[in-house]
Amino acid sequence: MDWSIPRSSAGVLILLDLADRHGVAVADCLAGTGLLPNQLEQPGSEVLPRQELDVIANLVGTLADPAGLGVEAGARFQLTTYGIFGFALISSPTLRNAVEIGLRYLDLTFAYSRIRAREHSGGFDLVIDAPGVPESLAQFVIARDTAAIRTIQRDLLADRSPPVVGVRFAFDPPADDAPYVEALGVRPEFGCAETALSIPNSQLDVPLPRADAHTAEIAQAQCRELLRAREARSGIAGRVQDLLAADPANPPSAARAARELNLSTRTLRHRLAAEGVSYRGLLQEMRRRLAEEMLVTARLTVAETAQRLGYLEVSSFSQAFRRWHGCGPAEYARRRLGR
């Protein structure tokens, strides 16, 4: 995830409601975050991911992270919580399409996890981990995001039938797994090599009950615009982004960019860190965004895209693209273009 992209304050409001149910005061949850209750309730209010994570840290710290708190939080994220992102999912033709759209616009959600689709003969797994999240909060975050995915599945199918054949967690079993069973609809396995949620082939291509091609097209267009607006940089990050985009085939090094901005390299890195980004992160973001546009909008080949983004080897570009999207560039283009 990109820690500098703001998100709706709805996620924090859900956390505050959960805290109230557990007897934790709002002031304790918001301590040190710079957030105010009135600000959060304003229509269109946004927060930074690190601010929401600070709220999670306050809540988990106050309650000593009781078993099931993460899945209890995740079960509260209904499709309507996600705004236009939720409309894009619910109007998708099938669950497979909804998963693809969900992963494409993951930065419009409240997730802190990295979520990757891994296909196999029986369907596919959504593999979930949380790189970059402090170890003390990783279990809460992973449990919350897993339960949120499960809740979305139920909403998409418009019933309570379980579309999941299994849920595995890469952490030790709690003393009481009842909250997990209630939130997930299945008894998960614990102590596994990875956290994953399995979706069988029998569910992937069944038409969703509220599929609507016209609504889906409009909602996805709005998702693209919203993500672009949230990705738009200001401050020093915006100026660096402009330098990178000016010549994507030959982007400046951090040292060269610093010189052009009349800064030392160290000062540039510190100022970028203060805005929640890094030079390498901005470079990867630029390449990811342009790669998507070149492959889908301009319909360039993989080799042409790699060349225009400054990759000396197509294989290096393909490996980077797979890290971004969980699939190769050719497969990504085929899916997006419906070929």
Side-chain angles (χ1 to χ4, degrees), residues 263-277:
L263 299 171
S264 69
T265 304
R266 178 171 178 159
T267 298
L268 174 61
R269 294 190 187 280
H270 284 172
R271 291 183 59 178
L272 288 175
E275 295 180 15
V277 296

Side-chain angles (χ1 to χ4, degrees), residues 12-309:
V12 173
L13 292 175
I14 285 176
L15 291 169
L16 296 182
D17 183 65
L18 179 64
D20 181 66
R21 287 178 58 87
H22 285 269
V24 180
V26 170
D28 292 334
C29 282
L30 298 183
T33 67
L35 300 174
L36 300 173
N38 291 343
Q39 167 197 356
L40 296 170
E41 294 171 358
Q42 294 296 319
S45 174
E46 294 180 340
V47 301
L48 291 173
R50 292 193 182 278
Q51 291 176 304
E52 184 175 330
L53 195 65
D54 286 341
V55 175
I56 291 174
N58 289 339
L59 177 60
V60 169
T62 302
L63 294 176
D65 193 15
L69 186 64
V71 288
E72 184 182 351
R76 293 167 171 261
F77 285 84
Q78 309 296 318
L79 267 178
T80 52
T81 309
Y82 297 89
I84 193 61
F85 175 84
F87 279 102
L89 296 187
I90 205 169
S91 57
S92 300
T94 66
L95 190 58
R96 185 190 299 275
N97 294 118
V99 170
E100 181 185 340
I101 291 167
L103 295 180
R104 186 187 312 161
Y105 297 112
L106 191 62
D107 280 332
L108 293 181
T109 73
F110 305 94
Y112 285 94
S113 300
R114 176 176 58 182
I115 304 172
R116 295 161 287 160
R118 184 179 61 207
E119 296 196 39
H120 51 79
S121 59
F124 63 66
D125 295 336
L126 292 177
V127 182
I128 303 166
D129 61 2
V133 173
E135 186 177 351
S136 60
L137 305 179
Q139 182 170 324
F140 175 94
V141 162
I142 290 172
R144 186 192 75 159
D145 293 349
T146 302
I149 294 171
R150 182 68 177 93
T151 303
I152 288 175
Q153 288 179 317
R154 285 170 161 163
D155 286 349
L156 289 176
L157 294 172
D159 63 26
R160 308 304 287 184
S161 62
V164 181
V165 294
V167 179
R168 308 186 297 276
F169 286 110
F171 46 80
D172 294 335
D176 179 12
D177 67 359
Y180 289 84
V181 175
E182 180 179 356
L184 300 170
V186 294
R187 176 160 277 107
E189 299 177 58
F190 294 92
C192 301
E194 63 185 8
T195 296
L197 185 150
S198 299
I199 304 175
N201 275 327
S202 59
Q203 293 287 343
L204 288 176
D205 296 310
V206 175
L208 293 179
R210 286 163 287 194
D212 185 299
H214 180 64
T215 300
E217 183 178 354
I218 293 174
Q220 289 182 52
Q222 291 178 337
C223 281
R224 287 193 296 272
E225 291 306 313
L226 178 58
L227 187 56
R228 284 176 184 148
R230 288 184 177 179
E231 286 179 335
R233 304 293 183 187
S234 58
I236 198 69
R239 296 172 66 187
V240 169
Q241 191 177 56
D242 290 341
L243 290 175
L244 293 172
D247 187 4
N250 185 34
S253 65
R256 193 174 109 205
R259 287 195 300 271
E260 295 195 33
L261 295 171
N262 295 317
L263 299 171
S264 69
T265 304
R266 178 171 178 159
T267 298
L268 174 61
R269 294 190 187 280
H270 284 172
R271 291 183 59 178
L272 288 175
E275 295 180 15
V277 296
S278 68
Y279 190 84
R280 178 179 173 81
L282 289 174
L283 176 60
Q284 293 303 308
E285 177 188 315
M286 179 271 291
R287 284 175 165 165
R288 174 185 59 80
R289 186 174 63 252
L290 289 182
E292 294 169 1
E293 293 178 0
M294 290 177 185
L295 290 167
V296 178
T297 305
R299 303 199 178 189
L300 300 182
T301 67
V302 174
E304 290 169 336
T305 302
Q307 181 182 27
R308 295 193 183 193
L309 291 178

